[in-house]
């Protein structure tokens, strides 16, 4: 059996430009409304993804800033804040609670501590001449308080080690206390009764 002979015809290749021209003419131009709606859907979809990514990144950045502000590697040791019979029971076991000697023990026995502070918070009455603030939050501090809690002073200076060693009668006032006591604009050197 003989194979049939076919004439070699010059086949024409389909080029990319032909495909684009056909798709534009048959698809996009023929169905303008459908093409417009599809395009708008793509635009809104991409915009929504970009917006959600920006919101997520912004929230993450805000959380990281807050963590940096309180210190990512801070460790706090606190008392239990007990009252009544439970406080009496615990005091029989350990009458001193947390003390400065605990801070010294940590400093001596734990390596890698960069900065350390201790503070005691109480409500106190503050007087300046005839002005009184009845229940000001008052902190007694020792150690590296300023660097540990990222505390910055607007005017004057913060307390230092010499203030503590020499038992100087100095304090740092918050703006709200200054306002309530009607202190001068530069209250450095004024006498307060705490």
């Amino acid at each position: 059996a003989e194979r049939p002979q076919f004439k070699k015809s010059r086949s024409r290749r389909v080029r990319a430009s032909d495909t684009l021209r056909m798709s534009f003419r048959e698809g996009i131009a023929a169905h303008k409304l459908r093409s417009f709606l599809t395009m708008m859907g793509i635009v809104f979809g991409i915009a929504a993804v970009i917006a959600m990514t920006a919101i997520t990144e912004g929230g993450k950045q805000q959380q990281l800033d807050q963590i940096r502000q309180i210190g990512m590697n801070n460790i706090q040791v606190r008392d239990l804040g007990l009252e009544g019979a439970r406080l009496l029971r615990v005091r029989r076991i350990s009458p001193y609670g947390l003390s400065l000697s605990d801070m010294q023990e940590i400093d001596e026995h734990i390596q890698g501590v960069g900065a350390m502070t201790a503070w005691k918070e109480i409500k106190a009455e503050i007087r300046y001449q005839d002005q009184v603030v009845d229940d000001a939050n008052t902190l007694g501090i020792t150690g590296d308080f300023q660097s540990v809690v990222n505390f910055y002073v607007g005017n004057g200076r913060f307390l230092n080690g010499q203030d503590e060693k020499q038992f100087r009668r100095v304090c740092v006032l918050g703006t709200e206390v200054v306002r309530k006591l009607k202190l001068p604009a530069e209250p450095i050197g004024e006498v307060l009764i705490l």
Side-chain angles (χ1 to χ4, degrees), residues 98-171:
L98 289 174
S99 67
L100 290 178
S101 63
D102 295 322
M103 190 169 140
Q104 292 164 352
E105 290 291 322
I106 290 170
D107 191 33
E108 289 174 16
H109 294 90
I110 298 178
Q111 295 178 1
V113 176
M116 194 174 352
T117 186
W119 67 85
K120 173 76 175 172
E121 182 176 359
I122 60 169
K123 295 279 187 188
E125 179 182 275
I126 302 175
R127 289 181 179 271
Y128 173 70
Q129 296 173 352
D130 61 340
Q131 303 297 321
V132 177
V133 175
D134 290 332
D135 59 346
N137 286 336
T138 307
L139 293 178
I141 65 160
T142 186
D144 307 314
F145 182 84
Q146 192 173 15
S147 64
V148 170
V149 299
N150 293 327
F151 185 82
Y152 299 99
V153 178
N155 292 328
R157 67 169 177 84
F158 196 71
L159 306 173
N160 60 38
Q162 291 303 314
D163 294 329
E164 187 176 347
K165 287 177 186 172
Q166 297 176 4
F167 299 100
R168 291 180 184 152
R169 294 180 179 201
V170 292
C171 67

Side-chain angles (χ1 to χ4, degrees), residues 10-172:
R10 295 178 71 188
S11 65
R12 196 170 164 205
R13 285 187 162 178
V14 178
R15 288 178 280 177
S17 60
D18 296 333
T19 307
L20 284 173
R21 201 175 17 247
M22 277 186 351
S23 64
F24 181 78
R25 192 173 49 236
E26 300 293 325
I28 295 173
H31 306 282
K32 291 180 179 124
L33 180 62
R34 181 179 69 185
S35 300
F36 174 75
L37 292 175
T38 302
M39 182 184 69
M40 292 306 292
I42 291 169
V43 168
F44 284 128
I46 290 171
V49 169
I50 290 170
M52 291 306 296
T53 303
I55 290 169
T56 303
E57 285 300 314
K60 185 166 61 172
Q61 191 61 43
Q62 186 177 9
Q63 288 175 338
L64 286 173
D65 290 343
Q66 288 174 344
I67 289 170
R68 275 190 210 100
Q69 188 175 5
I70 62 170
M72 288 191 283
N73 54 357
N74 282 356
I75 298 173
Q76 292 187 8
V77 179
R78 296 177 175 219
D79 62 0
L80 295 174
L82 301 174
E83 295 178 356
R86 291 180 69 197
L87 178 61
L88 292 173
R89 192 170 38 246
V90 169
R91 280 204 175 148
R92 275 188 233 123
I93 299 167
S94 176
Y96 301 109
L98 289 174
S99 67
L100 290 178
S101 63
D102 295 322
M103 190 169 140
Q104 292 164 352
E105 290 291 322
I106 290 170
D107 191 33
E108 289 174 16
H109 294 90
I110 298 178
Q111 295 178 1
V113 176
M116 194 174 352
T117 186
W119 67 85
K120 173 76 175 172
E121 182 176 359
I122 60 169
K123 295 279 187 188
E125 179 182 275
I126 302 175
R127 289 181 179 271
Y128 173 70
Q129 296 173 352
D130 61 340
Q131 303 297 321
V132 177
V133 175
D134 290 332
D135 59 346
N137 286 336
T138 307
L139 293 178
I141 65 160
T142 186
D144 307 314
F145 182 84
Q146 192 173 15
S147 64
V148 170
V149 299
N150 293 327
F151 185 82
Y152 299 99
V153 178
N155 292 328
R157 67 169 177 84
F158 196 71
L159 306 173
N160 60 38
Q162 291 303 314
D163 294 329
E164 187 176 347
K165 287 177 186 172
Q166 297 176 4
F167 299 100
R168 291 180 184 152
R169 294 180 179 201
V170 292
C171 67
V172 176

